[in-house]
Amino acid sequence: MKHEATSRSARSGRWLLAFFCTSSVAETLQAVTIMWASYRLSHNAVVTGAMNAAAYLPGVVLGLIVRKRADSGDAARRLSVTNWVLFTGSALLTLVWTAGSPPGPALAAFAAVQCSLSFVKTMNKAHAGRFIRQGYAAADAVRLRQRSTSLAQAGGAVGGGAAGVLLGFGAVGWCFATTALLYLAGLMAVRRAAPPSPRGAAAPPAAAAREAGPVAAPGRQERARSTTAGSRVLRTILLYSFPSSGALPFMSTVAVPLAQTVSPGSGDFYAVLSVAGMSGGFLAGTALSSGRLSSDLVLRTAFLTGAALAVGIAVTRWPAAVVMLFLVLSAVVTTHVMVMQVLTNQAPPEDQVGRFTVVRNAVAGVAKCGAALVAGWLVEALGLTAAWIALALVLGAAGFSWWGVGRSREMEELVGAN
């Protein structure tokens, strides 16, 4: 019986990883397509930045409103419901584009889908976090979280590459249709991730984990760690999630006009930058999950390294160098985001994981929204070079701040536990 439950828990984990990967392919494919189509329709980086911001801001507001419900209900079932919204949005965009809608209605449809995606992503992170935290022992949960983030980055690289191929042929409608099918596949995967009970109903992941042997409820060591971490660690996680979470949408917004500057009129180079960014994220996830990088090393060096790389992008327009710097910068920033995600899942008490995840995602969403808008404004007002220098200054300030006030004994103990 125990062996059967262990096998069922392992299958559940594999299906959950498939969900993360498939959803990431879909999300990146659609995001690249929306960003590119928005810039082509409007020829304005501010509009592109606003479209990027729309993927974060509504989730911040609505997430905070419903945050107290983030720890209720069956996590797998909630994931299924929210992913129907994603499928519907992509199907809508397919119809709007194939119908040949004018720029105004098309941009409005882009914005509406981005807004719905914003809220769904916020809740999905909370539900997935509860699924992992409740269903697996602490060490297994950390590894699963790292692997899921790494696979999500790999899926993003695939999605960016697919977007590049399809956009090269001008097949925007096919991009949206493929996204809808991928979201449907992710929906099927998350349903399989919930192991069936003897009566055929979906059983909570925690129940499967208890049958399999690992302790789902927090044990003595976890309770001690939660007490030690305290509110100071949670505040630190929120504070330092801001610059790294904002850096990625800043980069993706500036990447569109950067691609137009380096390779005018080509959607292929933008797709290359998107693939490079996601590939960097995959490398970051691989390095963390394999133990080649420690969380403590990432927290101490990521921001300062990222600042130096942003300066490098600011001063060069050689295509190969731009791609390489963009890849490495994405990897560095993503390592910090991943460490923050793991800490978000492990630092709070188990019965508050969903709530704290929503709050942290709200903070990250504000950072992403603001960064996307500021990025578009900086490009239009001051130019590409100034935009990259601004990013370098923010990352550099955050890096020096960590050495001055960010580190604490409680945080170091928590990082060491991971």
Side-chain angles (χ1 to χ4, degrees):
M1 183 68 177
K2 181 177 179 180
H3 175 74
E4 179 184 353
T6 303
S7 176
R8 188 165 63 240
S9 180
R11 288 196 300 270
S12 173
R14 287 194 293 269
W15 280 112
L16 188 62
L17 291 175
F19 161 73
F20 279 111
C21 186
T22 305
S23 298
S24 181
V25 175
E27 182 180 332
T28 306
L29 173 59
Q30 182 165 284
V32 170
T33 305
I34 287 178
M35 295 287 283
W36 180 251
S38 297
Y39 192 73
R40 290 298 299 269
L41 290 174
S42 66
H43 304 286
N44 192 312
V46 174
V47 173
T48 305
M51 201 64 65
N52 202 355
Y56 306 108
L57 184 58
V60 172
V61 178
L62 294 176
L64 289 176
I65 292 174
V66 302
R67 69 185 185 280
K68 293 183 179 180
R69 300 183 59 185
D71 289 295
S72 62
D74 180 78
R77 188 170 300 159
R78 293 282 178 95
L79 283 172
S80 297
V81 172
T82 52
N83 275 273
W84 274 115
V85 178
L86 299 178
F87 168 76
T88 303
S90 298
L92 172 65
L93 291 185
T94 304
L95 293 176
V96 168
W97 191 268
T98 54
S101 298
L107 290 171
F110 292 166
V113 170
Q114 290 287 77
C115 289
S116 66
L117 173 67
S118 171
F119 178 66
V120 169
K121 282 170 55 179
T122 296
M123 301 311 297
N124 274 359
K125 289 178 181 178
H127 300 324
R130 286 199 300 125
F131 190 109
I132 294 173
R133 179 71 178 270
Q134 296 171 359
Y136 301 88
D140 295 332
V142 170
R143 285 194 294 270
L144 183 58
R145 192 63 179 167
Q146 290 173 335
R147 290 182 63 194
S148 67
T149 305
S150 181
L151 278 175
Q153 295 295 328
V158 173
V165 172
L166 292 173
L167 290 175
F169 291 102
V172 175
W174 280 105
C175 289
F176 294 136
T178 304
T179 299
L181 293 176
L182 288 169
Y183 277 134
L184 188 61
L187 176 65
M188 297 172 63
V190 79
R191 287 186 172 181
R192 296 295 299 271
S197 67
R199 295 183 181 180
R210 284 193 295 268
E211 293 175 4
V215 181
R220 185 178 305 172
Q221 181 181 359
E222 184 172 340
R223 285 196 300 268
R225 188 170 70 240
S226 297
T227 302
T228 303
S231 60
R232 180 178 180 182
V233 169
L234 299 184
R235 288 195 301 268
T236 301
I237 292 171
L238 296 178
L239 177 63
Y240 286 93
S241 291
F242 203 90
S244 58
S245 294
L248 292 176
F250 187 100
M251 292 168 59
S252 64
T253 299
V254 178
V256 183
L258 176 63
Q260 287 292 308
T261 300
V262 174
S263 181
S266 173
D268 296 337
F269 190 74
Y270 172 56
V272 168
L273 285 180
S274 298
V275 172
M278 291 298 172
S279 299
F282 173 72
L283 294 175
T286 301
L288 279 172
S289 60
S290 64
R292 293 185 177 89
L293 285 178
S294 68
S295 297
D296 182 57
L297 178 63
V298 170
L299 293 176
R300 287 188 287 110
T301 63
F303 284 141
L304 295 177
T305 303
L309 292 167
V311 171
I313 298 178
V315 299
T316 183
R317 293 294 179 266
W318 182 35
V322 169
V323 171
M324 183 57 62
L325 289 169
F326 198 88
L327 184 151
V328 179
L329 177 58
S330 298
V332 169
V333 174
T334 303
T335 58
H336 194 277
V337 172
M338 291 179 63
V339 170
M340 291 293 104
Q341 289 175 340
V342 171
L343 292 175
T344 298
N345 195 252
Q346 297 301 313
E350 185 179 302
D351 60 350
Q352 297 179 22
V353 171
R355 185 179 304 183
F356 183 68
T357 299
V358 171
V359 173
R360 187 260 174 188
N361 287 338
V363 171
V366 170
K368 293 173 181 178
C369 178
L373 293 173
V374 170
W377 175 80
L378 284 173
V379 171
E380 290 295 320
L382 303 176
L384 276 173
T385 300
W388 286 108
I389 293 296
L391 177 61
L393 291 174
V394 171
L395 294 178
F400 285 116
S401 173
W402 177 262
W403 283 96
V405 298
R407 301 175 69 187
S408 66
R409 179 178 58 84
E410 294 85 0
M411 176 63 76
E412 290 178 348
E413 288 180 358
L414 185 62
V415 171
N418 289 336

